[in-house]
Amino acid sequence: MQTELSNQLGVEHAVFGFTPFPAVAAAISRAGGFGVLGAVRYTAPDELKRDLDWIEAHVDGRPYGLDVVMPAKKVEGVTEADVEAMIPEAHRDFVRETLVKHGVPELAEGEASGWRITGWMEQVARTQLDVAFDYPIRLLANALGSPPADVVARAHDQGVLVAALAGSARHARKHKDAGIDVVVAQGYEAGGHTGEIASMVLTPEVVEAVDPLPVLAAGGIGSGQQVAAALALGAQGVWLGSVWLTTTEADLHSPALTRKLLAAGSGDTVRSRALTGKPARQLRTEWTDAWDDPDGPGTLPMPLQGLLVAEAVSRIQKYEVEPLLGTPVGQIVGRMNSERSVQAVFDDLTRGFERAVDRVNRIAGRSGQ
Ligand SMILES: Cc1cc2nc3c(=O)[nH]c(=O)nc-3n(C[C@H](O)[C@H](O)[C@H](O)COP(=O)(O)O)c2cc1C
């Protein structure tokens, strides 16, 4: 599974893995792919530094990258307290009532919510970058738009490739105009923030729109056959996020959530604004149903919704309140049916890829060549 881009980065497989877990990122790179650590949850620079040190110590010299979330629409000069003040009381009541209805216990006195919105604020993403540029990262990805010009220039000065996610050919063209090096075409099926165009349609559209820039196909990929399909559509690699959530290296802190993921089918996700205020694909739960119910108060825009639900999400996760317990995950969750090591995922990907290539060669009458 080698392409120009994987050769440029010096990796064996053109398989890029987004993950919030350092142990998974390092394992992906060790397995011959390219691990990308999601930085959005790091609000303290020291924690990011600690985890990048850990990756450095465990990646066996293989290349890896970092993913930040700098929204295209800036939230500048605004503190968390300012955002808090914008949240209507009726929405706070709705959160309280929903938690009471499901008997969700309170956090202990002084226990901070583990999930904050600040990683989406440009100034926080910039502190993450100040830390990350001291490490030999080879790729910097941005989730919600093109990174600002000075960030692209700084990355290029340090020899770091810049990638950005796109849910449409229009977004992809904007990235090209902004000097981005690699476009991640992320389809509707994907876990996390996602657009409305399915990967099968999106990938070739983006490949054509940004030619000759390399494109990574994302969304709905969990097998080697799907990798082969993405490469056949013109992608120079694949970008996988969901599949790592049920690897043995992942640290979801919740056996109940792992069980839910392993049991879920491909129809058990929903694209909902419940988590962040922007449409993000996640497990469908009674929590997403409550927010998506036309009789409810509806969700607030980003970043208000994220702040509104931050503590509630922490409580639901901590106490593993099963009907409400969810996570961003894509439709490929239907194929995530057993816990495997990251290496085992790679072994399955390479085997499936070879089978797909053999099959197409047979169909094309090229067997044995
Ligand atoms: C739990 C989870 C969290 C995610 N968080 C981010 C994020 O912070 N930044 C980002 O660029 N993409 C994020 N994504 C999207 C992935 O980068 C990736 O595009 C997507 O998972 C690919 O589709 P798949 O889920 O079908 O593999 C997230 C995905 C998941 C499953």
Side-chain angles (χ1 to χ4, degrees):
M1 296 187 283
Q2 279 177 12
T3 64
E4 251 173 72
L5 181 62
S6 64
N7 289 337
Q8 185 184 350
L9 286 166
V11 294
E12 197 182 333
H13 304 300
V15 175
F16 293 69
F18 167 91
T19 173
F21 307 115
V24 177
I28 291 168
S29 291
R30 280 200 313 272
F34 189 95
V36 180
L37 179 69
V40 71
R41 73 191 167 97
Y42 295 95
T43 48
D46 283 356
E47 285 172 23
L48 180 57
K49 201 172 157 0
R50 183 201 59 205
D51 283 358
L52 288 173
D53 281 339
W54 191 93
I55 290 180
E56 274 293 304
H58 291 86
V59 81
D60 291 353
R62 308 287 179 101
Y64 62 93
L66 191 83
D67 176 283
V68 294
V69 181
M70 283 188 166
K73 282 192 198 138
K74 292 185 187 176
V75 191
E76 261 180 326
V78 180
T79 64
E80 241 184 70
D82 297 332
V83 180
E84 286 269 9
M86 293 179 213
I87 297 173
E89 207 44 45
H91 281 78
R92 293 191 187 282
D93 289 343
F94 183 71
V95 171
R96 272 191 290 271
E97 284 158 18
T98 310
L99 295 177
V100 168
K101 183 173 149 199
H102 289 274
V104 182
E106 302 269 352
L107 292 178
E109 184 83 20
E111 192 178 354
S113 153
W115 199 81
R116 307 303 295 172
I117 57 155
T118 44
W120 301 337
M121 291 181 164
E122 185 172 326
Q123 61 267 40
V124 176
R126 281 182 182 276
T127 59
Q128 294 164 349
L129 293 177
D130 287 341
V131 172
F133 279 129
D134 282 341
Y135 290 80
I137 57 167
R138 296 291 308 280
L139 179 122
L140 173 69
N142 189 38
L144 297 176
S146 308
D150 67 296
V151 172
V152 176
R154 187 174 171 191
H156 287 167
D157 282 350
Q158 295 200 207
V160 176
L161 289 180
V162 182
L165 274 68
S168 69
R170 189 174 62 85
H171 281 154
R173 267 186 226 103
K174 279 193 183 172
H175 292 330
K176 189 181 183 191
D177 294 345
I180 269 48
D181 308 294
V182 179
V183 176
V184 181
Q186 194 204 237
Y188 174 79
E189 309 93 316
H193 292 123
T194 174
E196 290 181 330
I197 306 169
S199 298
M200 192 76 176
V201 172
L202 182 71
T203 307
E205 272 188 12
V206 171
V207 167
E208 207 177 297
V210 301
D211 183 59
L213 287 189
V215 172
L216 300 176
I221 299 173
S223 71
Q225 286 85 346
Q226 288 161 326
V227 176
L231 298 186
L233 292 172
Q236 281 224 19
V238 291
W239 175 278
L240 279 56
S242 292
V243 81
W244 316 113
L245 291 174
T246 48
T247 55
T248 44
E249 290 89 344
D251 196 3
L252 281 179
H253 295 297
S254 170
L257 183 55
T258 301
R259 279 198 303 276
K260 273 186 103 165
L261 287 170
L262 294 173
S266 51
D268 290 332
T269 71
V270 63
R271 198 168 155 269
S272 168
R273 295 178 186 266
L275 202 53
T276 67
K278 276 185 184 290
R281 186 169 298 286
Q282 52 201 290
L283 269 188
R284 183 177 170 189
T285 65
E286 291 189 30
W287 180 250
T288 60
D289 283 353
W291 286 104
D292 296 337
D293 185 344
D295 294 333
T299 53
L300 297 172
M302 187 184 230
L304 275 66
Q305 181 73 13
L307 192 55
L308 171 65
V309 303
E311 191 198 307
V313 169
S314 292
R315 284 166 59 183
I316 293 163
Q317 285 176 350
K318 175 169 179 190
Y319 297 107
E320 300 191 297
V321 184
E322 292 221 17
L324 305 179
L325 189 59
T327 174
V329 71
Q331 293 178 340
I332 197 66
V333 71
R335 300 279 298 259
M336 293 156 49
N337 300 322
S338 64
E339 280 189 85
R340 290 175 291 171
S341 66
V342 167
Q343 182 61 56
V345 172
F346 270 85
D347 293 344
D348 288 346
L349 287 175
T350 42
R351 264 196 301 272
F353 180 79
E354 281 160 16
R355 271 202 291 273
V357 171
D358 284 350
R359 178 177 150 76
V360 171
N361 276 336
R362 265 200 314 279
I363 292 167
R366 295 202 190 104
S367 59
Q369 282 188 19

